Amino acid sequence: MGMVIFSISVLSLLVRLAVSCDDTNFIYNGFKKTDLHFDGIAEVSPNGLLRMTNTTKNQQGHAFHRVPLRFKNNFDGSPCSFSTSFVFAIVSQYTDVSAHGFALVFSPTEERSGALPSQYLGLFNPANNGNASNHVLAVEFDTIFNIEFGDIDNNHVGIDVNGLRSVAAAPASYYAGDVGTFKNLSLFSGEPIQVWVEYNNEDMKLNVTISPVNVAKPSMPLLSSAINLSAIMYEAMYVGFSSSSGSVITSHYVLGWSFRINGQAPALSLSNLPLLPQRNKRKTTTSLKIGLSLAGVVFALGTLSGIGFLVSRKMRFKEVVEDWEIDYMTHRFSYKDLYKATRGFREEELLGVGGFGRVYKGKLPTSNIEVAVKRVSHNSQQAMREFVAEIMSIGRLRHRNLVQLLGYCRRKGEFLLVYEFLPNGSLDKLLFAEQWPTRVDWNQRFQIIKGVASGLFYLHEEWEQVVVHRDIKASNVLLDSEMNGKLGDFGLSRLYDHGSDPNTTTHIVGTMGYIAPELTSTGRATTHTDVFAFGVFVLEVACGRRPIEHGASTDSLNLIDWVRTCWRRGVLAETRDPKLGTDFVMQELELVLKIGLICSHPSPAARPSMRQVVQYLHGDLPLPKLSIAETGSLMST
Ligand SMILES: *[C@@H]1O[C@H](CO)[C@@H](O)[C@H](O)[C@H]1NC(C)=O
Ligand SMILES: *[C@@H]1O[C@H](CO)[C@@H](O)[C@H](O)[C@H]1NC(C)=O
Ligand SMILES: *[C@@H]1O[C@H](CO)[C@@H](O)[C@H](O)[C@H]1NC(C)=O
Ligand SMILES: *[C@@H]1O[C@H](CO)[C@@H](O)[C@H](O)[C@H]1NC(C)=O
Ligand SMILES: *[C@@H]1O[C@H](CO)[C@@H](O)[C@H](O)[C@H]1NC(C)=O
């Protein structure tokens, strides 16, 4: 027996040695002569730089090795070890923000068809993100802090399996053996960075190591993650790079690349790599940095980014204005103009005080356009930088049911957002006004609900990226002169996700009564939590009651529970706002109340999408039948 086992294991060892992975390798010291497949805006410059993105915004670029490589052992089908090294540089128009990022990709196809730019990095889209049938492995170099995907910061390296929520991530840094610690590194400093990605099939460890190009390979990897590539890799996979830009002009470059299956990737010839284009604007910061002694670097990095920030603020003022005007039709306003417009932020001009700050009415000095100016105070400089990038992107949203953001102004720990002015104010003021008869009749309410639904549908599905509103409620719905409802404040809540604000460190974004049950436990806002809040909003409008009525009898304290109970008793229509009197259409009222109930269903999976809600409201799709489960909870079938 012992003999048999012994000989089998020797045999398998021999077989493993004899029949294993093909030893395939290639090396590019510059890309003048390449065997790459390009798409999107990726191209090779005359001096051999692989330029993944150019100065065109919101684009993606891909460059894949033209021939697929064999990633599985042809004897037992186990994944092959591999190793790769490359040098990249990210050059942003600014020193303090960049867009979006770039990744090394292993993909079943040499195209990422259907992928989106911006935060999707040219790899995925909202429908396929995270789906195991993608068979995609990527190492991302991400320069935007994106909450949706659980990002850790705006300067990180991550290992992505089938989606953008990294399985492992770390702030960009490298191990310095002499000091025995990790040193931070800015991915978008514009300086070349060398990367080593190595996978060993024995211990299934995927290691990622980075360092500035003039520093030898650190002895410890930045990431070392156990990943079973069996189910992820197909036998044949394409390997290459994917990159995406957003609203800030950013170029992603690859200077050289080597790859090897079943062995150590050939060393790049660093002195033969193509040179990056000259950069003018950022020179001061860079030359200063070089002049500093090594010991001072850690301290200086902090100070420098502060200086860089101030300098760039001054220097780029004009630039930013031009940029925004042309590309986003949005303006950076001068503080002086806003001060004048609001007559020095006088109390008489105060329109309201919300969770995010005070809102003033104003009239712009030269154009005489009426605006609403929201002052948001914030102490975190970091948060501001990220927020500006996001607001720049959100400023491009255009929909008749969204309050238009006209621009912003940034100033000492404070942000000023300039919105179109809506003369009829917020819906909740009218809904809960003491006046009798009510000023919002049934027809108007129905139109407002339809309008808000289509605005939210646009945010969720029709724009190029998914925008979660996070704070839908009657007081965030503003009315224009024709009583059309417009959603306001979208994206603003993101400010609280970036960095901490002393007063709101444990801020769950949202408003009591509108917060979906799963949000309190996961803390993660999604389109489903938006749908929940929309459901509450709909009930609020139809019933003329706040989601949580303080002082009401206990069984009607919670609006959802109360409407649900009335529906079970077969008296759904009686929950309508008494102020409506006889002014309502029974069929529409019931439709609206039922939509309110299914949207505010406790289980996220049972809620409809905003696309379906819009279809229900327009009669294009029949409402699912509501029924009661054994547990007494609501079901839609
Ligand atoms: C960026 O690259 C694309 C594709 O090569 C090209 O059409 C576009 O003009 C380029 N933009 C700039 C500003 O160079
Ligand atoms: C994942 O993608 C496959 C193939 O495109 C699709 O059939 C499946 O429904 C997707 N799964 C999820 C959870 O979206
Ligand atoms: C490095 O960056 C991380 C994340 O941004 C930060 O928490 C840490 O304090 C930084 N370390 C140094 C030494 O600056
Ligand atoms: C990955 O890193 C770990 C920890 O430093 C090391 O033990 C392992 O040998 C490395 N694997 C490869 C393939 O470099
Ligand atoms: C790796 O995954 C494959 C297929 O998913 C599985 O058969 C194998 O047992 C896994 N290996 C380990 C060590 O978990």
Side-chain angles (χ1 to χ4, degrees), residues 204 228-231:
M204 296 193 167
N228 183 351
L229 289 182
S230 257

Side-chain angles (χ1 to χ4, degrees), residues 57 247 323-330 392 395-396 398:
K57 299 178 184 180
S247 48
D323 194 19
W324 281 50
E325 283 191 18
I326 297 160
D327 294 316
Y328 308 107
M329 304 300 283
T330 309
M392 284 163 95
R396 292 186 298 121
R398 290 280 182 286

Side-chain angles (χ1 to χ4, degrees), residues 320-321 324-325 328-333 406-409 418:
V320 170
V321 170
W324 281 50
E325 283 191 18
Y328 308 107
M329 304 300 283
T330 309
H331 305 261
R332 176 168 175 149
F333 289 88
L406 301 174
Y408 80 105
C409 169
V418 184

